[in-house]
Amino acid sequence: MKAFVEHRWGPAFAGLLLVVALGGCLQLAVGGGLISPFVIPLPSDVLAEVPSLFTEEGLAHLFALTFGITLLATLLSTVIGVPVGLFLFRQRDFGQAYENWLGAIFSAPVILLYPLFLVVMGRGLHTIVVMSVFVGVTPIILSTYRGFLSVPPVYVRVARSFNMSSHDTFWKVLLPAALPSIFTGIRLALIYAMINAVAIEFLVSIGGLGFLVGDLYDRYNIPGMYAAVGFVIIASMIFFSGLEWLEKWLDPQ
Amino acid sequence: MKHWKTTALAVGLATVVGGHAVAADLVRVASSQRGFWDQTLIQFGDDAGIFDKHDIDLEILWTDGGADAQQSVISGSMDVAVGTGALGVISAWAKGAPIDVIGASMTGSSDLFWYVKADSDIKSIADAAGRTVSFSRPGSSTNLIAAKLVAAADVDAELVPTGGPAATMTQVMSDQIDVGWSAVPIGLDREASGDIRIIASGNDAPGVAEQSVRYHVVNRNFLEQNPDVIKRFLAAYQETLDWAYDSDEALQMWADMNDLTMEEAKSARDRGYPREALQPFPIKGTDQNVQEAVENDRLDEPLTEEQVSEFLSTAEEVRGSSSE
Amino acid sequence: MSASTGAVPGPIISRVTVIRVVTLLAVWAIYEAASRSGLFFEGVVPSSFVVLRTMFETLASPEFYPHLFRTLTEVVSGFVVGVVAGVSVGIVFGSSRLIAGMISPWVNYLGPAPKIIFLPILLLVFGVGMGSKVAMAALSAFFPVVIATHAGMRHIPPVYLRVAKTFNASWHQIVTKVYIPALVAPVMTSFRLAIGVAFIGTLLAEIKLSNQGLGYLIIQHYNFLRIPEMYAVLLLTFMLAVAANASMGWLADRVEHERH
């Protein structure tokens, strides 16, 4: 038993078994009439819907759409956020003036503003991207600013003692030192952009995965809806494991 | 603060004095599109005390659209849903959901219209090739009728969900959508002032005038346990309908809710909601609804004749025993 | 030019304050200009004066408060349920490597998933009333708390446990005298995030399907295109969220302070 626990994959495998066992119990509970199938459908029905999600609902396309929106929003957030963060670092008074505000915006429920965005920008994918940029740009600005702030001043002094140009000082000393922090910010931006995108897709009935869940619910295809929710979870898992792997690859320590 | 105390006192008194209400049965009703004449009648009737007279205590939930109302009844959170889209009901019923139709909420589509900005070059749906035509939410009756209008005009227009009439109006006026939808009376003021032009009415869609597009549904378990309550509910609803057309009281409530004058309200009601269209019986066009359900992927295959009569049987039974 | 820390005594009004004031004024001016520009369909960007006036009218009307209390009740109840569940599960994870190995990866992957998609399931299971909103808040609050608790458990020096065991401490004593005191700091830090997401979850659930609450008010105003009212309620909701976040931060600081 101990060997099983100690083994790298042991507990994970057991976890998978647990999920399968849970599915089995549900199958019995629903099939036996303990739970109404209109609230929780038979797991077998849910699994049966999966192929049609691909063939009839275009799941792959919707996946790509949500991912695309998220990546685009994060890219825009980075392009806007890093220079702004750098500016805050260079002009320290601005940095001090805005740091707390940015923190407050980051923790504020920006997504609740979606009716506002809808009304001003219309009901389209561009609105989702803009909202996601809104949500994603703050962590990037903050982490860029703080990243540069935390570079030990001795690095800059050493560079200066070697008579490095300020251009080189920035690109060869400052930026590499701040990069880990910037990446943390980009990762946060990705996470929040995705959560935001899926949520708005669901609430407004446009776009990719979030739209699919809402649409299946509206069309009263409950097994399909549960399957779609499962796919959103899978998408989230793939997304974030991918991020972890990418970060390890970029920064091996 | 003063208001708060007065309200509390009034509520307290009402609870004590309203001994009549203590004996009433609770019916939880889900509706949507608050402010629309047909969808808000239950509230008008409740405010006027008609449901109290029949010993019914109404609890009204305003949802975002028919599908939500229907789901809440299916899951048992609510007992009755008024004005929920026909296709959604047929689809759920065919899958065995515990809901039954107890009457038609709206037959025909005189309440709906599609419009464009006054300066638009679109003169009719036939001109809408490659343009956007809106409806409220997927699965709604506006969805169905917009699709039929577009199909009848044989034009390649893009159907887009835009939400409620007010939000749609914003999108049309901001040039985000070409053809907007609305329901009487919203937008009639802009028609009068020349800001918008109406290019189609709901009943323009072929066959719709004789089709019940929205139903009243009940949760099957609730019906089985409280058949008498549902009969009284329907009787109260019918009385509300008669009262709303025979007198001006409901009209006044509706006018206040929508900021209309009485004349505007009356003309809007007569234009958009003719009395016959709101009658719960007869339920019309079920075969058409079934066919459309299949065409729109709500049903895998058409219902057999037996299934159709079974579908309508509950309404017949309830009606039969409650007819005055 | 040496790096300034801002603590240097200088002019009466610091540059930082000047920047802040000017920024606020500039943002407000841009907003007002946009509002009056005619670029946007009428009423969609109302003047800030209109919004402020509407906000005071909202606060003065008695109909607002049942909605406010409903939302507060849902958020607080959900938060409490989520916290209790999160701490309990986190302690279980921390004390059993097997269970942690089996289940915590799922928790870690579900954590960043958008909880809103569970809403239809919650609506089906808990109905359209307060139940689904409380469930949504609890579900949202659960994840930051369980992750923080689990992390906190892993940081407890093993010697504490060994000492407790040599004293033959019961499970109950271990939990109350070793785990809980060690967990107070990380758990309370997670409260800020937890209350924030509980708040968002509740509001979104109310927006989707409800007949009371701030979210319901927002979407009703939106549906009837009562834009200034919608802005007003949104503003009040935001202020509430910031207050909740700040009070959790203050609470965490107080507790830290008390313990040292």
Side-chain angles (χ1 to χ4, degrees):
Chain A
M1 187 66 168
K2 192 162 197 298
F4 183 70
V5 174
E6 300 287 314
H7 185 266
R8 250 185 67 176
W9 293 110
F13 185 64
L16 206 61
L17 276 183
L18 192 67
V19 170
V20 172
L22 193 66
C25 289
L26 272 178
Q27 184 83 9
L28 290 172
V30 176
L34 273 175
I35 302 178
S36 157
F38 295 104
V39 171
I40 299 183
L42 282 173
S44 51
D45 284 344
V46 173
L47 287 172
E49 283 293 318
V50 170
S52 76
L53 280 186
F54 280 98
T55 52
E56 277 168 48
E57 311 292 340
L59 184 64
H61 166 76
L62 295 174
F63 238 81
L65 199 55
T66 302
F67 269 61
I69 292 175
T70 308
L71 288 172
L72 177 62
T74 310
L75 190 67
L76 288 173
S77 298
T78 309
V79 162
I80 300 173
V82 172
V84 172
L86 182 59
F87 169 76
L88 292 184
F89 167 70
R90 284 258 150 89
Q91 300 294 329
R92 208 60 56 85
D93 287 330
F94 280 88
Q96 284 175 345
Y98 294 152
E99 188 179 359
N100 285 340
W101 287 6
L102 288 168
I105 294 176
F106 180 52
S107 56
V110 172
I111 187 168
L112 296 178
L113 294 177
Y114 88 87
L116 225 71
F117 277 82
L118 276 186
V119 142
V120 171
M121 297 188 60
R123 208 178 175 102
L125 295 178
H126 57 281
T127 310
I128 303 185
V129 174
V130 169
M131 272 210 77
S132 302
V133 169
F134 226 81
V135 165
V137 83
T138 1
I140 293 185
I141 295 177
L142 278 174
S143 64
T144 306
Y145 170 61
R146 288 174 183 158
F148 280 119
L149 265 186
S150 66
V151 174
V154 64
Y155 286 25
V156 179
R157 287 202 286 271
V158 168
R160 213 161 279 158
S161 72
F162 279 104
N163 279 328
M164 265 180 125
S165 67
S166 52
H167 178 268
D168 279 347
T169 310
F170 176 74
W171 287 101
K172 297 200 174 130
V173 178
L174 275 176
L175 188 59
L179 222 45
S181 178
I182 297 181
F183 275 148
T184 306
I186 295 182
R187 189 198 339 119
L188 273 175
L190 261 169
I191 294 176
Y192 282 97
M194 168 131 166
I195 294 180
N196 190 69
V198 172
I200 308 237
E201 287 177 349
F202 173 73
L203 288 166
V204 178
S205 300
I206 47 173
L209 293 173
F211 161 73
L212 182 65
V213 174
D215 193 44
L216 290 167
Y217 175 72
D218 280 342
R219 277 161 41 196
Y220 196 61
N221 181 349
I222 305 296
M225 182 198 83
Y226 272 79
V229 170
F231 269 103
V232 174
I233 297 176
I234 291 177
S236 158
M237 281 166 67
I238 294 177
F239 203 56
F240 301 120
S241 331
L243 268 178
E244 274 177 356
W245 177 87
L246 189 72
E247 265 171 47
K248 283 213 182 81
W249 180 72
L250 283 174
D251 187 30
Q253 72 247 64
Chain B
M1 277 303 146
K2 251 172 65 174
H3 296 286
W4 177 84
K5 285 196 188 149
T6 322
T7 317
L9 188 60
V11 167
L13 274 177
T15 324
V16 169
V17 168
H20 191 74
V22 174
D25 289 295
L26 176 67
V27 177
R28 299 168 303 174
V29 182
S31 181
S32 55
Q33 313 290 18
R34 183 163 183 267
F36 283 17
W37 174 255
D38 60 328
Q39 303 284 141
T40 321
L41 278 178
I42 41 162
Q43 184 171 327
F44 297 150
D46 193 35
D47 290 342
I50 297 178
F51 284 87
D52 281 338
K53 259 176 49 187
H54 292 258
D55 282 327
I56 301 264
D57 187 18
L58 275 192
E59 186 188 295
I60 306 176
L61 172 76
W62 295 101
T63 73
D64 210 19
D68 284 329
Q70 178 186 299
Q71 310 300 37
S72 65
V73 170
I74 291 174
S75 65
S77 289
M78 304 302 282
D79 307 313
V80 173
V82 297
T84 172
L87 295 199
V89 172
I90 292 176
S91 160
W93 181 89
K95 289 179 182 148
I99 53 169
D100 286 309
V101 177
I102 51 174
S105 163
M106 182 81 182
T107 301
S109 222
S110 43
D111 54 330
L112 300 177
F113 60 89
W114 274 256
Y115 61 91
V116 292
K117 270 174 90 169
D119 55 12
S120 165
D121 56 336
I122 298 179
K123 301 277 184 294
S124 73
I125 298 281
D127 299 330
R131 315 287 274 273
T132 46
V133 174
S134 79
F135 61 93
S136 61
R137 279 179 55 158
S140 60
S141 53
T142 53
N143 187 179
L144 181 67
I145 292 164
K148 288 174 82 145
L149 284 171
V150 166
D154 199 22
V155 77
D156 187 21
E158 191 192 343
L159 289 167
V160 179
T162 52
T168 307
M169 179 68 71
T170 319
Q171 290 172 70
V172 172
M173 301 311 277
S174 316
D175 294 313
Q176 291 157 9
I177 293 278
D178 297 303
V179 182
W181 80 276
S182 188
V184 163
I186 298 176
L188 292 182
D189 52 342
R190 287 192 194 276
E191 191 203 12
S193 66
D195 288 333
I196 63 169
R197 232 184 322 118
I198 295 182
I199 62 168
S201 146
N203 279 348
D204 288 346
V208 169
E210 294 300 308
Q211 201 175 345
S212 294
V213 294
R214 291 195 283 283
Y215 296 142
H216 300 305
V217 297
V218 70
N219 176 279
R220 190 172 295 146
N221 298 328
F222 185 81
L223 177 62
E224 273 163 23
Q225 285 158 18
N226 306 281
D228 182 59
V229 175
I230 291 298
K231 283 174 211 153
R232 294 198 328 257
F233 175 84
L234 284 173
Y237 189 80
Q238 185 69 54
E239 191 180 323
T240 305
L241 262 181
D242 297 331
W243 160 80
Y245 284 87
D246 290 335
S247 84
D248 282 346
E249 285 172 47
L251 212 50
Q252 184 65 61
M253 292 179 184
W254 192 50
D256 292 338
M257 204 181 249
N258 283 292
D259 272 331
L260 301 167
T261 65
M262 277 297 275
E263 301 85 61
E264 285 168 343
K266 190 156 203 302
S267 103
R269 179 195 70 179
D270 293 336
R271 172 179 175 177
Y273 300 99
R275 188 175 195 152
E276 313 76 55
L278 267 64
Q279 296 303 318
F281 300 99
I283 301 176
K284 294 188 187 173
T286 312
D287 291 325
Q288 252 171 292
N289 277 330
V290 169
Q291 190 187 333
E292 272 154 30
V294 175
E295 281 165 18
N296 285 286
D297 288 326
R298 303 308 207 84
L299 275 181
D300 293 325
E301 51 192 27
L303 299 179
T304 64
E305 268 193 48
E306 274 166 15
Q307 283 175 305
V308 171
S309 32
E310 196 192 327
F311 179 68
L312 296 171
S313 64
T314 314
E316 304 277 332
E317 279 165 28
V318 180
R319 177 196 184 198
S321 13
S322 78
S323 53
E324 269 121 313
Chain C
M1 212 165 22
S2 61
S4 160
T5 58
V8 180
I12 311 256
I13 304 177
S14 73
R15 243 196 115 204
V16 168
T17 313
V18 168
I19 293 175
R20 285 180 169 164
V21 169
V22 169
T23 308
L24 281 175
L25 286 174
V27 165
W28 174 74
I30 295 175
Y31 178 84
E32 276 302 306
S35 164
R36 288 157 207 262
S37 70
L39 270 177
F40 300 99
F41 180 53
E42 68 185 60
V44 150
V45 181
S47 153
S48 53
F49 298 108
V50 171
V51 172
L52 274 171
R53 192 190 66 214
T54 315
M55 197 171 90
F56 286 117
E57 282 169 13
T58 306
L59 285 171
S61 84
E63 295 94 47
F64 174 69
Y65 292 94
H67 295 289
L68 175 65
F69 290 138
R70 163 81 149 225
T71 301
L72 286 176
T73 312
E74 290 165 351
V75 172
V76 171
S77 316
F79 175 73
V80 168
V81 171
V83 164
V84 168
V87 169
S88 316
V89 174
I91 289 182
V92 168
F93 281 178
S95 32
S96 162
R97 277 185 58 186
L98 175 63
I99 297 184
M102 275 170 39
I103 307 184
S104 76
W106 292 101
V107 169
N108 287 331
Y109 284 128
L110 278 178
K115 308 297 176 309
I116 185 85
I117 49 148
F118 293 109
L119 187 55
I121 298 177
L122 293 179
L123 284 171
L124 287 173
V125 173
F126 290 99
V128 300
M130 273 183 70
S132 44
K133 322 298 179 288
V134 172
M136 190 71 196
L139 186 67
S140 307
F142 172 77
F143 286 96
V145 173
V146 73
I147 291 174
T149 308
H150 187 195
M153 287 288 287
R154 283 202 295 247
H155 280 112
I156 298 180
V159 64
Y160 287 21
L161 261 183
R162 287 202 284 271
V163 169
K165 291 228 171 92
T166 57
F167 280 103
N168 277 328
S170 69
W171 171 246
H172 178 260
Q173 285 171 316
I174 293 181
V175 168
T176 49
K177 295 197 193 306
V178 178
Y179 290 160
I180 304 263
L183 289 174
V184 169
V187 169
M188 298 225 70
T189 317
S190 72
F191 275 10
R192 283 185 92 152
L193 187 56
I195 193 89
V197 292
F199 194 75
I200 293 177
T202 307
L203 262 293
L204 290 180
E206 287 179 350
I207 285 177
K208 183 76 179 160
L209 187 55
S210 181
N211 60 355
Q212 234 192 350
L214 295 176
Y216 167 77
L217 271 186
I218 292 172
I219 206 66
Q220 284 290 29
H221 288 320
Y222 171 72
N223 283 338
F224 281 89
L225 223 61
R226 291 190 290 249
I227 302 292
E229 284 83 347
M230 184 183 80
Y231 272 70
V233 178
L234 275 171
L235 215 63
L236 289 168
T237 306
F238 256 72
M239 281 159 51
L240 199 63
V242 169
N245 190 295
S247 51
M248 277 302 155
W250 172 87
L251 191 68
D253 285 342
R254 274 298 300 267
V255 169
E256 264 304 293
H257 202 249
E258 297 285 309
R259 285 149 47 85
H260 291 293

